[in-house]
Amino acid sequence: MESYPTPGGNHHGDRESLVADQGDRALPVAGVRPEILASWQRSQSLGIDRERAALPIESDLDPDSRLIRAAEPVLTRLYERFSGVPVTVTLADSRAHIVDRWGDPAGLRLMDAASLVPGANVDERFMGTSSVSMVLSTRAPFVVVGHEHFLHDLKELTCMAAPVRDPVGGTVRGAVNLSVPRQLADPGMALVLQNATERIGERLLELGTARELALTHSFRRAMERGGHAELDLGSGELSRRGGPPPRLASQERQVLLERAVELISSPGEAFAEVPLAGRRVAVLRRRELHHGDAEGAAVEVSFEEAGGSGTAPAATATASGRRTPLLNRPAEAAEPAAAGATDAWLLLVGEPGVGRLAAEARARLALLNEAGVRLGTALDVRRTAEQLAEISVPRFADLVVVDLVESVLAGEEPPPGPLRPDVPLRRVAAWAGEDSRDLAAGGVDEPSGYPAGTPQARCLETGEPVTDSVVTAALAGHPAGRVHPVGLLGTGEHSYLGAPLSARGSVLGLAGFYRRGRTRPFEQDDLTLAGELAARAAIGMDNARRYGREHRAALTLQRSLLPHALPRLSTVDLASRYLPADARSGVGGDWFDAIPLSGMRVALVVGDVPGNGLQAAATMGRLRTAVRTLAGLDLLPEEVLAHLDDLVSRTADEDVDEQDPATGTTCLYAVYDPVSCRCTAATAGHPPPALLTPDGEARLIGLPTGPPLGLGGLHPYESATVDLPAGSLLTMYTDGLLKESRGYEDTEARTAQLLASLKLAGPQLEDTCDRVTDALLAGGPYDDAALLLARVHALPEDRVASWEFPSDPEAVARARALTRAQLAAWGMSELDFNTGLVVSELVTNAVRYGGPGPVGLRLLRDDSLICEVSDGSNTSPRIRRAATTEEGGRGLFLVAQFTKSWGARYMPQGKTVWAEQIPQPEQPAPEADEQTLLALFDDLG
C-alpha cells in the first residue's frame, strides 16, 4: 500500500499565515508543502480565478463504461460506510472528468454551486490545486488539506484521493476523491479509500477476464463449422487425420506468437507475412471478434511456399500453453490474397488492449536487454548518460534529459543517501531523437537546479521514481520553467517521469523522461522500467566515475615517475616519446631519462619493465629512482647495471619464494662526454642504440650484450666506448618500437625501417620523433614503446683549459696563478676569490694524498664554471668537522661553502674531484675576512 504525502506545519492554515504575493492576490505560504506551492504557482500562471473557476464540462460521457461498472458498487458501499458524516465521494476518469459522485443532498448542492458536476474537468489547468489533479499528475495517492486548496471555496475541506489502476499493466484508469470537513478528517479515511480503489482495480480485472473468456468461447464455437487439429505445445506436434505431423522450430513458433500479439494490438493491420526456414512463408490474418460489448481479435496462420507455389501444412502454438484446437478456416472467409491456401490454424485470441500490453511488455524486455548490452560500455560518465537517452528515445519517451551531481562529474564520491534539492547539478545529456542532434536547446553542459516541491526534487529526496504532468503554458516566463526543457517539449500538456540514478547507496543525479501530449501518460509499469533503466545507467556511470578516478590516479603516478621535462643542456639536444600499449589507461612500464653529470657529461637511460599497467609503472618508478641515485655517484655504466641487477635479484624476504616484478627488465645506460666527444654505454638485454652521423650514415652501435636485470648472476656487464662526431643523432628506444600487432616482426626488417626513418631526420627533433613513430607504429603500439633522441655537440676548445703539475707543494701557487689568468681571459674575474680558494684546496689535497703521480687541473666554462682536479689515488674525499686546535681538515668544508655543488668520480686509475660555481656578475661575491672564515669552524659544543 502506498503512503499518502502528509502536509507539514499548520494543518489548518490560519488566515494570519497568508502573505501578499504578486499584487493583490494572496498566496498562503506558512505550513504549505513545496509541491503544493509549486502547483499554486502553476495555477496562478494559468490565470485561474481563485474565487470561482470556470470548469469545462464534457457532455458526451459513457454512463456504462467499464470504470463506472467496476466502481459503482464499491463506492456505494464506501459512501454508506461513512453514513452520518458529511462526506462526498467523487469518481474521475483518467482525463480528470467527473463521471460519478455520491453524497448527501446538501453536499451535492454545494458541488453543483462549485460546478463540480458530472462531466466537469477538475484538472489543474482549470481548477488549480486539487487532490484529483495531484493524483492524476503524480500517479500516486495525495491529500490536500484545507488551506492548501487553490480555490477559496474548498479551504474548509480536506480532500484525499487515490488512483484506480488496471491490474493488467498498472494503467491509471481514474481517481476516487473523498472530501470531508477538515475538522472531521481522520487518517484512517485515507486507508479505507485506498482499499476501495484497490477493490475497483480487482473488479476491472474480473470484467476484463470475463470479456476475454467470452471472446475465446465465441471463437471456439466458430471452429465447429470446420475440421480441427490439436497442437501439443510440449512437443510442437500436430495431431491431424490424413498425414504425418509436421513440426515448427521453437524459435519459429516464438516469432509467430510475437507477430500475432502485434497484429491484435494494431487494429489497422489485417495480415502479416513471416519468412520461415525451407522457403516457407507463414501468413497471419487478423479476424475481428464480437461478443456482447466485448471486442477483440483472433489471429490465424496458414503456410505456403515462398512465391506462392503451393501450401505446406504445418502447425503453431498458442499463448495459453495448452493443447489447443486449431481452426480449418471456412472457404467463404478467405481473402483473395490467400488464394491457394487451404488450411489455417488458430494462433492467438485476445483484446487489442491486452495485445498492446503484451507487446509493450516485450518491448520493455527488449529495451532492458539493449540497455544491458550498451550502457556502461564506454567507461565514460557523459557518454553513459547519452546512451541512456539514446536508448530510451523514441521507444520509451519522446525526450530524455540527464542531470548529474557536479562532484560526480569531477570523479569525487557522491553524497550518501538521498540528495537535497539545493545540491549542485549539471545537465550532461538532452536527447529528443535525430532531429534534435543539432539543436542548441536542452541546457546541456549548463548548471541545473530544482526548487523544493518540483517532481525532480521529490525524486532526489525520496530516491524513488515519480511522475507528473507538465503544462508548458504554466511555466512560460516563470522561474520554475527552467526545471523542464520547454524549448524541446513545445507547447501543450506533457507527461514527465523522473528516475533517480542510484548506485551503491548514493544518488548520482536523475534522468527525466518526457512524453509529448497526454495520449500516453506514464503508468506504474513505466515507473518500474524507468527505475531499472536508471539503475543500470547509474551503475555504469559509477563504474565510469571510479574508473576515471583510478585512471587519473594511475596517470598521476605515471607522470610523477617519468621526467616532467627533459633537461635543457648546451651540449645535447633532447626529444622523447612515450606510447603505452593501453592507450586508454596510458600506463606502462617503459621509461627514459636524461641525467646531467659532472664535467658537463650527461647520462642517457632507456628501460623496459615486463608487462604493463599500474604494477609495471610502480616497478618502473622504483628502478628509475635507483638509476638516478646510482648516476649521482658517477659510476661507470657497467657498474650502474651491476648494482641494478643486484637490487632486482635481492628480495625483501629470502624465505618467500617470490620473484621481483622487475625481473627480466632490460636497460640501456650511456654516458656522453662533450669534451672528448665519446659515448660509453652498457646494456642489460636491451636493443642497441642507433646512430645517425652528420654525413647521413645510420647504423646500430655494437655493444657487449648483458643479461636482463635479475637474471645476471655471476655474468659481468661490460661497456663499450665510441666516438660521436659533433652533430650526431643518438637514438635509444625500447623493443616495443620494433613490434607490431602480430607480435615480433622480423627484427632486421624493422630495424632497417628505423634506420631509414632516421636518415630523413631534419633539424627539429620533435618532427623526427613523429616521423619514427608514424613509420613504425602506424596502427598503434602493440607493446609499450619509449623513444629518446639525443643530438650531441662538442664543447668548443676555447671553453676548456687544462694543465698538469708534478705532485709538489709548489704546484699550488702555479695552479692558482694559471687559473686567475684563465678567468681573466674568459671575463670571469668576479670568481677569482672563490675559484682560487677551491683550486688551492683541491690541488693541495691531491699533492698530499694523491700519491706520486701527476696532478691534473681542468677548467670548463659553460653556463657555470667547473673546476676539476685529478690524481692517481682512489681514496674517497669526505667532509669532516675539524677541532678548533687542528690545523687541517677544513679544505673540503670551504669548497662546499663557496660552490654550488661538488663531488668525486672515479676512473680506472685514480679519481677526479670537481666543484661547480654559477657566475653572478650583477652580484659579485664579497671577500670574506679572516674572522668570518674562522667563525665557520667554531666548535659549538
Side-chain angles (χ1 to χ4, degrees):
M1 179 177 292
E2 299 177 81
S3 60
Y4 284 72
T6 56
N10 179 10
H11 288 213
H12 301 291
D14 298 335
R15 290 289 179 179
E16 290 75 13
S17 68
L18 305 184
V19 298
D21 183 30
Q22 298 188 11
D24 58 353
R25 289 177 292 180
L27 286 180
V29 174
V32 175
R33 286 170 286 167
E35 55 266 35
I36 295 293
L37 184 58
S39 176
W40 282 344
Q41 292 170 343
R42 294 193 299 268
S43 302
Q44 193 172 48
S45 299
L46 292 169
I48 300 174
D49 187 354
R50 302 188 66 205
E51 298 299 332
R52 184 174 182 82
L55 304 181
I57 298 178
E58 175 67 47
S59 59
D60 188 19
L61 293 177
D62 182 6
D64 194 33
S65 66
R66 290 178 62 191
L67 176 62
I68 294 178
R69 285 191 288 124
E72 185 173 14
V74 177
L75 297 184
T76 299
R77 288 194 297 271
L78 175 66
Y79 174 70
E80 293 172 350
R81 177 170 182 171
F82 293 108
S83 176
V85 181
V87 302
T88 57
V89 178
T90 304
L91 174 65
D93 64 14
S94 59
R95 298 181 299 156
H97 290 103
I98 296 177
V99 296
D100 209 346
R101 58 183 188 170
W102 290 260
D104 59 66
L108 293 180
R109 284 195 297 271
L110 291 176
M111 294 183 71
D112 291 340
S115 299
L116 299 176
V117 297
N121 194 310
V122 294
D123 191 79
E124 183 183 80
R125 295 172 294 164
F126 312 110
M127 186 177 176
T129 306
S130 69
S131 57
V132 172
S133 67
M134 296 299 289
V135 164
L136 294 180
S137 175
T138 63
R139 326 302 275 182
F142 210 91
V143 176
V144 179
V145 179
H147 68 288
E148 293 184 330
H149 286 96
F150 187 78
L151 297 182
H152 289 307
D153 293 343
L154 302 178
K155 290 189 178 296
E156 297 303 319
L157 298 176
T158 291
C159 298
M160 52 196 74
V164 176
R165 300 186 188 278
D166 190 334
V168 182
T171 305
V172 174
R173 297 296 186 185
V176 177
N177 177 76
L178 178 67
S179 299
V180 63
R182 57 179 180 148
Q183 297 85 355
L184 301 178
D186 184 87
M189 293 180 174
L191 297 177
V192 174
L193 173 61
Q194 189 159 345
N195 289 334
T197 57
E198 291 176 355
R199 176 55 187 154
I200 296 173
E202 294 172 0
R203 283 182 53 80
L204 284 173
L205 180 61
E206 293 169 2
L207 292 175
T209 303
R211 291 161 61 92
E212 289 214 3
L213 288 175
L215 288 174
T216 304
H217 291 319
S218 175
F219 195 87
R220 287 184 175 176
R221 283 195 299 272
M223 294 190 315
E224 298 175 358
R225 298 193 301 267
H228 70 275
E230 288 186 345
L231 177 68
D232 187 339
L233 294 183
S235 64
E237 294 183 355
L238 178 69
S239 299
R240 182 182 177 86
R241 293 187 295 271
R247 292 179 59 88
L248 283 178
S250 59
Q251 185 175 4
E252 292 176 330
R253 294 198 301 270
Q254 183 64 29
V255 171
L256 292 179
L257 277 177
E258 292 180 357
R259 194 66 183 93
V261 170
E262 294 175 1
L263 274 180
I264 291 179
S265 60
S266 304
E269 294 187 64
F271 72 95
E273 293 185 350
V274 180
L276 301 176
R279 293 180 52 81
R280 293 179 301 163
V281 176
V283 181
L284 280 64
R285 295 173 180 81
R286 186 179 190 273
R287 306 289 187 187
E288 299 292 339
L289 294 179
H290 301 275
H291 184 83
D293 67 338
E295 295 183 357
V299 176
E300 298 173 336
V301 59
S302 61
F303 301 89
E304 59 187 46
E305 294 290 338
S309 58
T311 62
T316 185
T318 69
S320 63
R322 301 184 297 273
R323 293 177 61 89
T324 305
L326 303 181
L327 178 67
N328 270 358
R329 177 179 47 80
E332 64 271 17
E335 290 87 351
T342 59
D343 295 308
W345 292 272
L346 171 65
L347 183 58
L348 195 64
V349 176
E351 285 189 282
V354 177
R356 177 184 63 82
L357 293 174
E360 290 180 354
R362 283 200 333 277
R364 291 188 182 100
L365 290 176
L367 191 62
L368 285 176
N369 179 66
E370 182 178 352
V373 172
R374 291 180 58 185
L375 287 178
T377 56
L379 281 179
D380 180 85
V381 174
R382 290 179 179 271
R383 182 55 191 148
T384 302
E386 293 171 354
Q387 288 174 335
L388 172 62
E390 293 169 359
I391 290 171
S392 304
V393 176
R395 288 183 291 175
F396 181 67
D398 298 319
L399 166 65
V400 177
V401 296
V402 181
D403 302 309
L404 295 180
V405 180
E406 293 273 13
S407 60
V408 172
L409 289 174
E412 303 172 4
E413 289 290 336
L419 299 178
R420 303 184 311 274
D422 58 349
V423 66
L425 300 171
R426 183 170 293 273
R427 182 153 296 169
V428 295
W431 183 251
E434 292 294 336
D435 295 339
S436 67
R437 182 178 296 276
D438 299 326
L439 296 180
V444 178
D445 288 330
E446 295 181 3
S448 58
Y450 301 108
T454 58
Q456 294 91 337
R458 296 201 308 272
C459 177
L460 293 174
E461 289 176 327
T462 62
E464 298 291 338
V466 301
T467 60
D468 208 336
S469 59
V470 179
V471 182
T472 54
L475 301 176
H478 193 278
R482 292 193 297 269
V483 304
H484 296 291
V486 176
L488 291 176
L489 280 175
T491 59
E493 185 179 4
H494 315 286
S495 298
Y496 171 78
L497 192 159
L501 298 167
S502 303
R504 300 180 176 95
S506 298
V507 179
L508 312 182
L510 81 159
F513 303 87
Y514 294 86
R515 287 178 180 172
R516 295 188 178 95
R518 294 291 290 169
T519 57
R520 295 188 305 139
F522 289 107
E523 305 296 351
Q524 190 65 33
D525 287 352
D526 296 319
L527 284 171
T528 304
L529 175 59
E532 181 65 22
L533 286 174
R536 295 190 182 195
I539 291 295
M541 293 176 188
D542 195 52
N543 289 340
R545 178 191 63 81
R546 292 168 179 262
Y547 167 79
R549 183 182 61 187
E550 300 301 327
H551 185 205
R552 287 188 293 272
L555 286 181
T556 300
L557 172 64
Q558 178 82 1
R559 294 188 183 110
S560 67
L561 298 178
L562 287 172
H564 295 283
L566 293 173
R568 288 173 164 264
L569 303 172
S570 60
T571 57
V572 178
D573 299 329
L574 298 170
S576 63
R577 288 291 183 273
Y578 174 73
L579 301 173
D582 187 352
R584 290 196 303 175
S585 68
V587 179
D590 290 13
W591 89 93
F592 58 87
D593 211 344
I595 309 168
L597 302 177
S598 64
M600 301 183 67
R601 298 170 306 138
V602 60
L604 304 173
V605 191
V606 171
D608 184 359
V609 175
N612 49 47
L614 201 57
Q615 175 66 55
T619 304
M620 174 270 289
R622 180 164 61 95
L623 292 180
R624 177 173 176 257
T625 301
V627 170
R628 294 186 70 88
T629 301
L630 294 171
L633 299 177
D634 263 326
L635 300 178
L636 298 174
E638 61 269 27
E639 294 177 348
V640 170
L641 295 182
H643 283 291
L644 282 178
D645 178 73
D646 186 53
L647 173 67
V648 174
S649 299
R650 292 197 307 264
T651 58
D653 187 354
E654 295 183 357
D655 296 333
V656 179
D657 188 17
E658 292 184 358
Q659 194 176 60
D660 193 304
T663 301
T665 297
T666 64
C667 183
L668 173 62
Y669 187 93
V671 175
Y672 172 68
D673 187 344
V675 178
S676 63
C677 294
R678 289 186 172 183
C679 178
T680 303
T683 176
H686 202 84
L691 177 65
L692 176 65
T693 58
D695 58 8
E697 179 189 359
R699 60 182 176 85
L700 296 180
I701 299 178
L703 297 176
T705 302
L709 301 180
L711 305 176
L714 300 177
H715 192 287
Y717 292 98
E718 300 180 42
S719 63
T721 300
V722 295
D723 293 325
L724 300 184
S728 298
L729 180 62
L730 186 66
T731 302
M732 301 169 63
Y733 52 91
T734 59
D735 61 0
L737 198 67
L738 303 181
K739 294 180 182 179
E740 64 171 8
S741 58
R742 297 193 303 270
Y744 280 98
E745 175 79 355
D746 181 358
T747 303
E748 293 185 1
R750 298 284 285 180
T751 302
Q753 193 174 359
L754 169 63
L755 297 178
S757 300
L758 291 177
K759 290 181 179 180
L760 302 176
Q764 299 298 325
L765 293 185
E766 295 293 334
D767 294 340
T768 303
C769 282
D770 293 336
R771 182 177 293 106
V772 170
T773 54
D774 291 344
L776 295 173
L777 303 174
Y782 175 74
D783 192 9
D784 300 332
L787 174 65
L788 179 63
L789 299 183
R791 177 170 280 122
V792 299
H793 305 286
L795 188 66
E797 293 182 0
D798 59 355
R799 295 194 175 194
V800 181
S802 59
W803 303 275
E804 191 173 277
F805 309 101
S807 181
D808 190 297
E810 295 182 358
V812 177
R814 176 65 176 162
R816 194 164 48 237
L818 292 173
T819 299
R820 184 178 298 110
Q822 187 62 56
L823 292 179
W826 283 344
M828 305 176 72
S829 298
E830 72 275 7
L831 297 180
D832 272 352
F833 177 81
N834 292 352
T835 308
L837 178 64
V838 169
V839 169
S840 297
E841 294 298 335
L842 295 183
V843 173
T844 298
N845 285 343
V847 170
R848 288 184 176 180
Y849 311 111
V855 176
L857 171 63
R858 187 171 71 168
L859 300 179
L860 304 177
R861 174 195 171 193
D862 193 41
D863 295 334
S864 62
L865 178 66
I866 300 175
C867 176
E868 298 180 342
V869 175
S870 304
D871 59 51
S873 171
N874 288 324
T875 304
S876 175
R878 60 186 180 87
I879 297 178
R880 66 182 182 88
R881 178 176 292 278
T884 305
T885 57
E886 287 185 310
E887 295 183 1
R890 300 179 178 86
L892 292 180
F893 189 86
L894 287 173
V895 170
Q897 289 292 321
F898 286 93
T899 60
K900 174 190 173 184
S901 58
W902 76 278
R905 65 176 180 270
Y906 298 90
M907 301 171 291
Q909 291 85 28
K911 67 176 181 299
T912 297
V913 182
W914 57 269
E916 182 179 12
Q917 302 175 74
I918 303 297
Q920 296 179 341
E922 66 281 2
Q923 294 180 354
E927 293 188 7
D929 60 342
E930 295 179 358
Q931 295 301 323
T932 302
L933 293 176
L934 292 175
L936 295 173
F937 303 99
D938 287 344
D939 189 355
L940 300 179

